[in-house]
Amino acid sequence: MKHTQVAVLLLMQSMITLAVTKAATEGSLHIDTTLPYVTQPSKVTGNLHTSPKLFTNVSGSVDDEGTCQCSVYLPDTTFPVQKAEQLEIIAATLTKKFEIELSQVREYSKKIELYQQQILNLTIKVQHMEKSSISYTELDFQLLKVEINDLERLVTQLKFSLVGSNVVVEQIYLEITNLTILVNELESLDKNNILAIRRQIVDLQKRLKECEEGTNKTTVPPYFPPGSCIHRGLLNVSQPYIAKLNWRGFSYKYGSWGRDYSPSDPENEVYWVAPLNTDGRYLEYYRIYSSFDDLLLFKPMYERRITYGEGSGAALYNNYLYYHAYNSRYIVKHDIRKNTMVLKKELLNAAYGNRFSYAGVSWQDIDFAVDESGLWVIYSTENNMGNIVISKLNDTTLDVLNTWQTRQYKPSVSNAFMLCGILYATRPVNTRKEEIFYMYDTSNGQEGSISVIMDKKLDTIQSIDYNPTDQKLYVYNDGYLLRYDVTFQP
């Protein structure tokens, strides 16, 4: 604006000076001398140095000193002097108003910075009240409300003072509104119940601590004599004790192992380990150990070869190894001391040829089991549509004494074992956990659900054998020999 005023004044002064100077120079001798032409710029080029064009004649007079004097009137159409003066006045007014507004904006900027800092302090206070477990009084909330109301009033005034939209002011106003809502909610929550809630929390923490202390205490499970079934069944199993890798190596993932149960001499220690060949089907070699220490030290009493068993379902009972004969429904009784086959008998209607093996374990169509009452065999038949069939065997003659047909599909379980006349079946939970989930009681024909988690070392469990003497589970887990303690329900 100031530059415009200067340009207008300079233009006016230049034109007036030019006109007066030329008039004085050309008309100094004669009164009626024609005054110089007032020229206009060429309409084509806009250049003042083009040939002059007559605009008007002006008469003058000579004073006593001989000076020629004349008056020249420049019409408004040539240069609007009055409008230029008006414009100068307006420009000065606008400049003054602009300086006033600018000073107000600076003042508002300082206020906005102050409000932002106050809002930050209030936000910190509210967050502290949210996180703290201290019960605040009504006065605390009233003080917060006063501060927030002051801020809201000042920001409202600021909004009306500023013409148009201001993003910063709108954001501050929104934050104040949110703070108001939050403080009201905190106040409503705190009234009359925070202390009660805190008492409940303290009480719960105390009970939790007592529960943890009770859990950490070592509780001795009730004792049940070996070979007895005066308990109410399986309650839990311990963490696995990893004895070692089987004696043939890591590649021999399928097989079985356990401790012999001899009712006439239950304290006698005899262990067997029978890894299958690497195809996971042929049972050809097994070893017998006279103690658990000898097993750990790879000191077998003897190693034997048979031709041929099939699958990981073998079991040792009273110094005889019972196994499934290869590619048949025959079951075999084998004398481990003489390494001779004593008896071979067909298990009627039993499915074989990997028809109904366990989930994830091939060729285990027929699975032997031992418990307090003697020898059992677990298998499936076509008539029972692949569901588990349990038969009690005469260990001398291999005759079937009794049979129970369950409704549990055999290929849907990963393995099974017998304990006090009850069948327990497992299934995988993940690669490191197995669940005992199904039970069938042969004493009353009742089946039901159970949930006992067993940790394991590798993915697949190939066999589980229970021993009534030490009341442990012997598990063959992808070539590793695992052992679990069993806890019974009192």
Side-chain angles (χ1 to χ4, degrees):
M1 181 62 70
K2 291 182 179 180
H3 292 300
T4 305
Q5 296 172 14
V6 172
V8 171
L9 292 174
L10 289 175
L11 180 60
M12 290 171 61
Q13 291 174 2
S14 299
M15 292 187 69
I16 294 170
T17 304
L18 178 63
V20 173
T21 304
K22 284 188 178 182
T25 304
E26 297 293 338
S28 60
L29 295 177
H30 303 287
I31 297 174
D32 54 356
T33 302
T34 303
L35 289 172
Y37 308 116
V38 178
T39 60
Q40 291 179 324
S42 170
K43 292 182 178 179
V44 177
T45 65
N47 192 345
L48 290 174
H49 297 287
T50 57
S51 299
K53 179 182 177 182
L54 181 62
F55 185 78
T56 185
N57 290 328
V58 180
S59 297
S61 61
V62 180
D63 60 9
D64 296 337
E65 296 178 357
T67 303
C68 180
Q69 296 180 350
C70 62
S71 298
V72 178
Y73 173 71
L74 296 176
D76 188 55
T77 54
T78 303
F79 188 83
V81 177
Q82 293 178 349
K83 289 185 178 180
E85 291 176 350
Q86 234 174 14
L87 184 62
E88 185 179 6
I89 294 171
I90 292 172
T93 304
L94 288 176
T95 302
K96 185 176 181 181
K97 287 184 178 181
F98 175 76
E99 290 176 351
I100 293 172
E101 293 293 333
L102 185 61
S103 65
Q104 287 182 347
V105 169
R106 288 172 181 159
E107 183 180 354
Y108 292 154
S109 298
K110 293 179 181 178
K111 287 183 179 180
I112 287 174
E113 291 177 0
L114 180 62
Y115 296 161
Q116 286 177 329
Q117 185 59 42
Q118 290 179 355
I119 287 176
L120 179 61
N121 294 337
L122 279 174
T123 304
I124 293 173
K125 286 182 181 179
V126 172
Q127 288 176 347
H128 179 71
M129 293 178 73
E130 281 185 298
K131 296 177 181 178
S132 177
S133 61
I134 300 173
S135 178
Y136 291 91
T137 64
E138 187 174 356
L139 179 61
D140 295 322
F141 290 105
Q142 291 300 326
L143 291 174
L144 272 179
K145 285 183 176 180
V146 169
E147 291 186 58
I148 292 174
N149 289 336
D150 288 342
L151 273 178
E152 186 175 6
R153 178 176 51 79
L154 292 173
V155 173
T156 304
Q157 292 177 359
L158 186 59
K159 284 178 64 178
F160 288 114
S161 300
L162 292 176
V163 180
S165 176
N166 190 297
V167 177
V168 177
V169 176
E170 294 291 340
Q171 182 65 29
I172 291 176
Y173 189 79
L174 180 61
E175 290 181 11
I176 291 174
T177 304
N178 292 338
L179 275 175
T180 304
I181 296 171
L182 184 57
V183 170
N184 289 335
E185 289 180 352
L186 283 174
E187 185 181 23
S188 64
L189 288 173
D190 194 77
K191 284 181 179 177
N192 303 323
N193 62 3
I194 287 296
L195 289 176
I197 291 174
R198 288 181 63 202
R199 291 191 195 101
Q200 291 179 5
I201 291 174
V202 170
D203 183 58
L204 287 173
Q205 289 174 339
K206 183 179 178 181
R207 289 166 59 187
L208 178 62
K209 185 177 180 181
E210 291 175 353
C211 181
E212 288 177 348
E213 290 175 353
T215 303
N216 293 333
K217 289 180 180 177
T218 303
T219 57
V220 178
Y223 173 75
F224 297 99
S228 68
C229 292
I230 57 177
H231 50 75
R232 294 191 298 117
L234 179 67
L235 176 65
N236 205 351
V237 297
S238 68
Q239 289 292 308
Y241 171 79
I242 303 173
K244 65 173 186 175
L245 186 64
N246 77 87
W247 58 275
R248 299 188 73 181
F250 185 76
S251 299
Y252 296 83
K253 293 182 177 295
Y254 289 79
S256 59
W257 84 294
R259 178 179 174 178
D260 180 28
Y261 177 57
S262 177
S264 60
D265 188 12
E267 298 302 321
N268 183 37
E269 281 193 87
V270 176
Y271 295 87
W272 95 94
V273 180
L276 303 186
N277 291 350
T278 53
D279 61 1
R281 183 177 183 180
Y282 285 92
L283 171 59
E284 188 174 5
Y285 294 95
Y286 66 93
R287 280 184 176 181
I288 300 298
Y289 300 87
S290 59
S291 69
F292 189 69
D293 289 340
D294 287 347
L295 185 147
L296 296 178
L297 295 172
F298 293 95
K299 293 171 60 177
M301 192 159 50
Y302 44 78
E303 179 181 324
R304 302 298 191 197
R305 181 177 183 268
I306 56 177
T307 56
Y308 289 104
E310 181 175 277
S312 303
L316 190 63
Y317 178 65
N318 204 16
N319 290 314
Y320 290 94
L321 183 68
Y322 296 86
Y323 62 89
H324 174 208
Y326 173 75
N327 198 31
S328 71
R329 57 171 55 96
Y330 283 88
I331 53 178
V332 178
K333 178 181 180 181
H334 186 87
D335 189 337
I336 59 172
R337 289 168 293 188
K338 298 178 181 179
N339 194 32
T340 58
M341 181 190 299
V342 176
L343 185 61
K344 182 176 182 180
K345 196 162 191 174
E346 183 179 15
L347 185 61
L348 294 177
N349 300 320
Y352 67 98
N354 206 30
R355 176 70 172 125
F356 297 117
S357 186
Y358 292 126
V361 183
S362 301
W363 308 109
Q364 200 167 344
D365 298 284
I366 297 175
D367 184 19
F368 288 92
V370 174
D371 73 352
E372 290 80 358
S373 61
L375 183 65
W376 302 79
V377 63
I378 303 166
Y379 58 104
S380 292
T381 64
E382 295 290 348
N383 292 336
N384 203 32
M385 298 173 291
N387 292 335
I388 293 176
V389 176
I390 309 166
S391 289
K392 183 72 171 66
L393 297 179
N394 182 314
D395 61 284
T396 304
T397 63
L398 295 183
D399 291 335
V400 174
L401 302 178
N402 206 345
T403 298
W404 296 263
Q405 296 185 351
T406 74
R407 291 181 294 177
Q408 178 62 50
Y409 189 54
K410 187 168 180 280
S412 69
V413 307
S414 58
N415 229 281
F417 61 94
M418 297 296 297
L419 190 156
C420 283
I422 300 174
L423 171 83
Y424 293 94
T426 63
R427 63 184 175 191
V429 176
N430 53 46
T431 58
R432 292 297 178 268
K433 291 185 183 297
E434 201 88 0
E435 180 189 25
I436 303 173
F437 77 101
Y438 173 81
M439 58 182 291
Y440 184 93
D441 191 344
T442 60
S443 65
N444 54 25
Q446 297 294 317
E447 57 187 342
S449 299
I450 186 175
S451 182
V452 175
I453 299 299
M454 301 173 58
D455 290 338
K456 55 187 178 181
K457 181 175 177 61
L458 294 175
D459 297 2
T460 308
I461 286 179
Q462 282 74 21
S463 69
I464 304 177
D465 287 274
Y466 169 70
N467 183 268
T469 300
D470 56 17
Q471 298 173 335
K472 297 181 187 297
L473 293 178
Y474 291 82
V475 176
Y476 197 98
N477 178 204
D478 279 336
Y480 284 88
L481 312 183
L482 311 185
R483 190 170 69 171
Y484 300 78
D485 292 324
V486 175
T487 304
F488 301 109
Q489 299 182 49

